Amino acid sequence: MRHTISVLVDNKPGVLARVAGLFSGRGFNIESLSVNETLDPSMSQMTIITRGDDRILEQINKQLNKLIDVIKVIDFQSGECRFIGRELALIKVNVGDHRRAEILSIIDIFRGKVVDVSRNHYTVEVTGDEEKIGAIIDLFKPIGIKEIVRTGTATLPRENKPE
Amino acid sequence: MKLNGAQILLECLLREKVKVIFGYPGGSVLDVYNALYDSKIKHILVRHEQGAVHAADGYARVSGDVGVCLVTSGPGATNTVTGLATAYMDSIPVVVLTGQVPTRLIGNDAFQEADIVGITRPCTKHNYLVRNAKELPGVIKEAFYIARSGRPGPVLVDLPKDILGKTMDFQFSDKVNIKGYKPTYKGNRRQITRALEEILQAKKPVIYAGGGVILANASNELSKLAKALKIPVTMTLMGLGCFPGAHPLSLGMLGMHGTYSANMAVTNCDLLIGIGARFDDRVTGDLNAFAASAKIIHVDIDPTSISKNIKVDIPIVGNARDILKEFLEDIGSKKVKMSARKQWLDEIDSWKSKHSLAYKMDKTIKPQFVIEKIYEITKGKSIIATEVGQNQMWSAQYFTFDKPRKFLTSGGLGTMGYGFPAAIGAQVADPKATVIDIAGDGSIQMNIQELATAVQYNLPVKIAILNNYSLGMVRQWQQLFYKKRYSHSTFEKHPDFVKLAEAYGAAGLRATKPDEVGPVIRKALSIPKPVIIEFIVEQEECVYPMVPAGAPISKMLLL
Ligand SMILES: Cc1ncc(C[n+]2csc(CCOP(=O)(O)OP(=O)(O)O)c2C)c(N)n1
């Protein structure tokens, strides 16, 4: 199972190395990782996407909690906690003369933006959940993608809906 | 008052009630050594930094206090890695203070610079690089707190030279508040009640006790519980001594070299009560066959140990002592009648009657016989350290430990060279005790240099070398599983261990025949100095019972 885990850590040198070392040392895998300072600059928020069976996920959660610099771990797939996850991708698409319109309409559908233009390329900025990013990439592939970079998912738990 | 960083460090150590440091000086810690010159804290100058960490570890195991080590940067620091990994695997509270190059040089490949915080991240419970002089008192406070609380473990503090030399105003910190570290001590009430219901209902319960019982000082509570409810107890290598080994309810050690009765009892029980043990592969063998028809209760302070290898039915996270106390209160005056347990205890007796710990006497000295003799002559009262290999397993099998903190062995990492420096640390912690390192002829040569330390500080540690002219445990595996192809496991040349002892200023004795064993042990114990006793033992002796790696623990090779 694929899990999204949010980890609140002390904002100190070496903390990322501790978390990354835990994953590599114990043979857990990281599919995506993003780290940023929180509102309180003494803490950082990591979002880790990982994969494993129940036993491995249980170990990942417990081992993360065991690190002294880790303050809180939320595994969004365990329990009822609903969350919003978004990432940003920059995609450099090849543009032949006759495909500009097609590309622009795809960008429009996905509410993306062209942030850089050259004779042969558009650089497209798009945000969304992983699925949406995956979908736009799939549409661009047959047209031709030169380069791509993704930030990894950032997550926040959802607030309860008003009754 | 203004002090420099080194003086502040020593003040902090005094506040942590540190009495002794095991260390080795060098450029980046000269300020600390300068401050030590007038300090109340005793310093033991070892001969290798690995020895310093093992000695601090041995000191901690015997005293229950945090062991402290001080070394220089670079090679001094990297020499501590094996000691740290050893202490980490066995959850021993040690604080290692390493010098570091001055802050402004960090990252420049400066002389004797090593990224020791990076190197030791996976083999310490936590580690620190002090980046700012003001942090120093707080970091030291936290380091000791982390080392001794929760599941104990080693903590390393890296101290740049400029910080140690800097004179400054400072404030001691008395409180520790680490947001991400709040160990759980009290067990969950509902889980305790559920567990007790299972315990009272079980027909064939077994307690499986590990080093956590010793670390939590919970031996008394464990013994009371086992005796009140007539539950047989088996111990891991790390748990030996947490329940009196000579008591009829004791099954001895379980696992790869466990007793027949312990392994059969665990295989056939209907309830396994794990306390402060971690279902290590050397204990469980084939996981699918381990206590296969039993419910499992697991008491441990470290949540990551629970359901890591084996799915547990009733987990209880917390301190073994606190939880056992709650069990005892709940039980109150309830006692289980002997008759209710008779069938189970009879079954266990039938397994015990196999006498799986046995060996045949011969014209050569049997290593097991040496250990039995040491036990007999010291009346079981000595502190025993071991090296790793056959010597370690025979010590665990043939020396009956009645009390905790009397058996020092590298269980998790299996570090050859651990025993002798650990014995030195034990002797420092308990100067009146008889401390004996039971060694192999291979292992002892890994930290033999510490004989100079023992002689210098008049630490009368005894070293019993079971000399089989081989790396016995390696040879045993080659003998049993590699068609006796003894590839690089036998020694063609050894030093003369008796002369070696004498060269160091210790005493040396040798026994080559069984009837010399007793007299030589008595003689060694009467010499108020470190003594090497070399026993020339049977070369091809194997440790039995043995469960081949990965097999069910009920499938033992017996003699
Ligand atoms: C530092 C280290 N290196 C290698 C090993 C692998 N090893 C385990 S037991 C053993 C043999 C130990 O030989 P010896 O000390 O003579 O003890 P014996 O088994 O003969 O009692 C070896 C090499 C180890 N445990 N530790």
Side-chain angles (χ1 to χ4, degrees):
Chain A
M1 261 266 275
R2 199 154 180 270
H3 281 225
T4 303
I5 301 173
S6 157
V7 191
L8 187 65
V9 299
D10 279 321
N11 185 5
K12 276 192 208 150
V15 178
L16 178 60
R18 276 184 215 285
V19 172
L22 166 68
F23 275 75
S24 64
R26 293 187 181 268
F28 305 146
N29 75 59
I30 298 182
E31 289 195 1
S32 137
L33 168 73
S34 76
V35 196
N36 275 293
E37 209 171 272
T38 61
L39 212 52
D40 174 349
S42 74
M43 293 187 279
S44 302
Q45 180 80 51
M46 295 185 181
T47 302
I48 301 172
I49 299 181
T50 182
R51 208 182 264 282
D53 60 22
D54 288 351
R55 198 182 57 86
I56 289 179
L57 261 304
E58 183 179 333
Q59 271 297 308
I60 291 176
N61 278 290
K62 286 173 168 179
Q63 293 286 357
L64 281 169
N65 266 307
K66 188 171 163 177
L67 292 178
I68 309 277
D69 292 328
V70 168
I71 299 160
K72 195 171 169 193
V73 180
I74 306 172
D75 182 342
F76 288 116
Q77 264 76 20
S78 72
E80 295 300 284
C81 187
R82 292 174 331 122
F83 68 102
I84 309 165
R86 291 289 182 272
E87 73 173 314
L88 180 146
L90 294 173
I91 308 166
K92 211 174 265 177
V93 195
N94 302 333
V95 287
D97 283 337
H98 50 286
R99 303 201 82 162
R100 284 179 194 259
E102 183 189 352
I103 293 169
L104 287 172
S105 80
I106 293 173
I107 294 170
D108 200 39
I109 294 166
F110 283 85
R111 279 184 255 160
K113 265 195 290 195
V114 177
V115 289
D116 188 40
V117 187
S118 71
R119 177 129 43 100
N120 299 321
H121 298 100
Y122 280 161
T123 301
V124 179
E125 173 197 307
V126 62
T127 64
D129 59 18
E130 282 190 291
E131 211 176 319
K132 177 175 162 191
I133 307 284
I136 193 168
I137 290 171
D138 280 347
L139 289 173
F140 282 149
K141 263 188 195 153
I143 300 172
I145 296 174
K146 185 179 180 214
E147 259 181 282
I148 199 166
V149 59
R150 299 169 68 162
T151 58
T153 303
T155 48
L156 277 181
R158 283 186 191 273
E159 291 296 318
N160 290 329
K161 289 219 175 86
E163 290 298 304
Chain B
M1 189 172 49
K2 275 195 187 271
L3 297 177
N4 72 13
Q7 292 166 316
I8 296 168
L9 171 69
L10 294 189
E11 279 304 313
C12 293
L13 297 184
L14 282 170
R15 288 174 157 239
E16 297 299 327
K17 308 208 166 49
V18 173
K19 297 187 198 81
V20 57
I21 295 175
F22 299 90
Y24 208 88
S28 64
V29 284
L30 281 171
D31 285 300
V32 184
Y33 275 86
N34 191 44
L36 266 174
Y37 205 60
D38 335 286
S39 172
K40 284 196 290 250
I41 301 177
K42 187 170 165 180
H43 179 276
I44 304 276
L45 177 64
V46 295
R47 298 303 191 264
H48 187 301
E49 290 88 349
Q50 184 188 352
V53 191
H54 292 327
D57 166 318
Y59 178 90
R61 292 191 204 217
V62 167
S63 67
D65 298 333
V66 179
V68 182
C69 238
L70 170 63
V71 302
T72 193
S73 66
T78 54
N79 271 348
T80 66
V81 171
T82 303
L84 285 165
T86 304
Y88 186 56
M89 288 289 266
D90 289 347
S91 312
I92 305 304
V94 169
V95 169
V96 172
L97 307 164
T98 53
Q100 182 53 282
V101 300
T103 319
R104 73 193 148 75
L105 290 181
I106 292 178
N108 276 344
D109 302 320
F111 178 63
Q112 293 195 328
E113 179 183 358
D115 174 15
I116 198 64
V117 167
I119 290 169
T120 61
R121 225 176 256 131
C123 62
T124 51
K125 184 172 172 188
H126 197 55
N127 60 17
Y128 295 88
L129 167 62
V130 180
R131 285 164 191 273
N132 171 331
K134 289 263 176 295
E135 291 174 2
L136 182 60
V139 166
I140 299 298
K141 184 91 205 159
E142 279 188 21
F144 277 82
Y145 173 69
I146 290 172
R148 61 163 81 93
S149 59
R151 176 176 178 177
V155 178
L156 180 139
V157 183
D158 202 19
L159 301 156
K161 185 173 165 73
D162 52 326
I163 289 177
L164 294 170
K166 185 173 173 184
T167 304
M168 57 188 165
D169 286 320
F170 65 97
Q171 245 179 338
F172 287 117
S173 68
D174 286 322
K175 279 198 288 296
V176 186
N177 181 17
I178 308 167
K179 271 184 280 185
Y181 180 67
K182 306 270 190 273
T184 308
Y185 288 91
K186 235 178 105 56
N188 177 293
R189 193 50 249 177
R190 267 190 35 226
Q191 295 291 81
I192 292 178
T193 309
R194 271 181 66 204
L196 200 58
E197 278 166 15
E198 292 291 346
I199 293 173
L200 292 172
Q201 269 173 28
K203 297 221 157 47
K204 304 196 284 181
V206 173
I207 291 174
Y208 149 53
V213 175
I214 297 175
L215 292 165
N217 296 315
S219 296
N220 278 336
E221 289 74 11
L222 177 85
S223 299
K224 276 191 200 151
L225 181 80
K227 289 174 191 171
L229 301 182
K230 312 264 182 312
I231 305 176
V233 181
T234 178
M235 286 159 273
T236 66
L237 179 67
M238 295 303 298
L240 289 175
C242 77
F243 183 80
H247 192 278
L249 285 170
S250 169
L251 303 171
M253 184 170 75
L254 81 164
M256 182 174 274
H257 293 296
T259 64
Y260 185 75
S261 56
N263 286 358
M264 293 308 281
V266 168
T267 303
N268 292 288
C269 68
D270 65 355
L271 178 71
L272 186 71
I273 309 157
I275 308 176
R278 58 189 176 86
F279 296 81
D280 170 82
D281 54 278
R282 284 293 188 266
V283 159
T284 61
D286 178 4
L287 283 167
N288 296 318
F290 186 75
S293 46
K295 285 219 164 125
I296 298 179
I297 296 172
H298 190 186
V299 175
D300 205 288
I301 197 154
D302 180 358
T304 68
S305 291
I306 291 176
S307 291
K308 181 169 69 179
N309 301 329
I310 285 235
K311 192 96 194 93
V312 168
D313 298 291
I314 307 181
I316 311 177
V317 175
N319 174 276
R321 185 155 181 226
D322 294 346
I323 292 167
L324 284 166
K325 274 190 175 157
E326 285 200 49
F327 276 144
L328 289 170
E329 277 167 28
D330 286 6
I331 293 167
S333 54
K334 277 181 224 150
K335 286 236 158 60
V336 168
K337 281 210 212 73
M338 213 49 190
S339 55
R341 280 273 184 273
K342 186 162 182 333
Q343 214 181 343
W344 178 227
L345 294 180
D346 281 352
E347 202 173 350
I348 283 173
D349 276 341
S350 74
W351 292 321
K352 279 190 177 175
S353 67
K354 268 232 169 188
H355 296 292
S356 59
L357 297 183
Y359 59 93
K360 296 195 185 74
M361 280 299 275
D362 204 344
K363 284 198 280 298
T364 51
I365 301 175
K366 287 298 176 89
Q368 302 93 324
F369 175 69
V370 175
I371 291 160
E372 283 190 332
K373 274 287 173 199
I374 292 174
Y375 176 71
E376 189 188 306
I377 292 168
T378 61
K379 302 191 179 66
K381 299 230 183 309
S382 43
I383 293 174
I384 299 291
T386 77
E387 301 296 338
V388 168
Q390 294 183 314
N391 60 84
Q392 176 184 35
M393 291 301 121
W394 283 320
S395 302
Q397 293 177 330
Y398 288 89
F399 197 101
T400 311
F401 294 92
D402 272 334
K403 292 215 171 73
R405 302 195 179 277
K406 300 282 182 203
F407 183 49
L408 283 55
T409 198
S410 169
L413 198 67
T415 309
M416 292 171 68
Y418 167 79
F420 179 42
I424 289 178
Q427 189 79 78
V428 171
D430 190 350
K432 294 211 175 69
T434 301
V435 182
I436 304 174
D437 175 38
I438 296 179
D441 46 312
S443 300
I444 193 59
Q445 297 187 68
M446 287 215 177
N447 273 316
I448 189 71
Q449 77 286 346
E450 298 308 329
L451 202 45
T453 312
V455 170
Q456 175 174 338
Y457 294 94
N458 296 315
L459 301 165
V461 172
K462 311 295 182 256
I463 305 170
I465 303 178
L466 307 175
N467 187 355
N468 50 15
Y469 286 91
S470 63
L471 296 168
M473 189 57 96
V474 172
R475 199 221 60 239
Q476 171 166 345
W477 284 58
Q478 291 172 336
Q479 189 173 333
L480 299 175
F481 310 116
Y482 291 86
K483 302 191 178 121
K484 294 200 178 186
R485 287 159 55 85
Y486 296 148
S487 180
H488 305 282
S489 58
T490 49
F491 290 115
E492 279 155 33
K493 281 274 179 290
H494 264 329
D496 179 329
F497 286 112
V498 171
K499 282 193 189 148
L500 185 67
E502 286 162 1
Y504 273 109
L509 302 168
R510 180 179 291 125
T512 54
K513 293 201 279 298
D515 59 6
E516 294 167 359
V517 170
V520 126
I521 294 170
R522 281 197 195 85
K523 172 116 195 267
L525 293 175
S526 73
I527 301 173
K529 291 207 283 193
V531 182
I532 286 184
I533 330 164
E534 182 189 19
F535 299 93
I536 308 295
V537 299
E538 172 61 42
Q539 198 174 4
E540 293 219 330
E541 195 70 11
C542 286
V543 180
Y544 290 114
M546 176 172 193
V547 179
I553 58 168
S554 56
K555 298 272 177 291
M556 284 161 271
L557 308 175
L558 299 165
L559 183 65

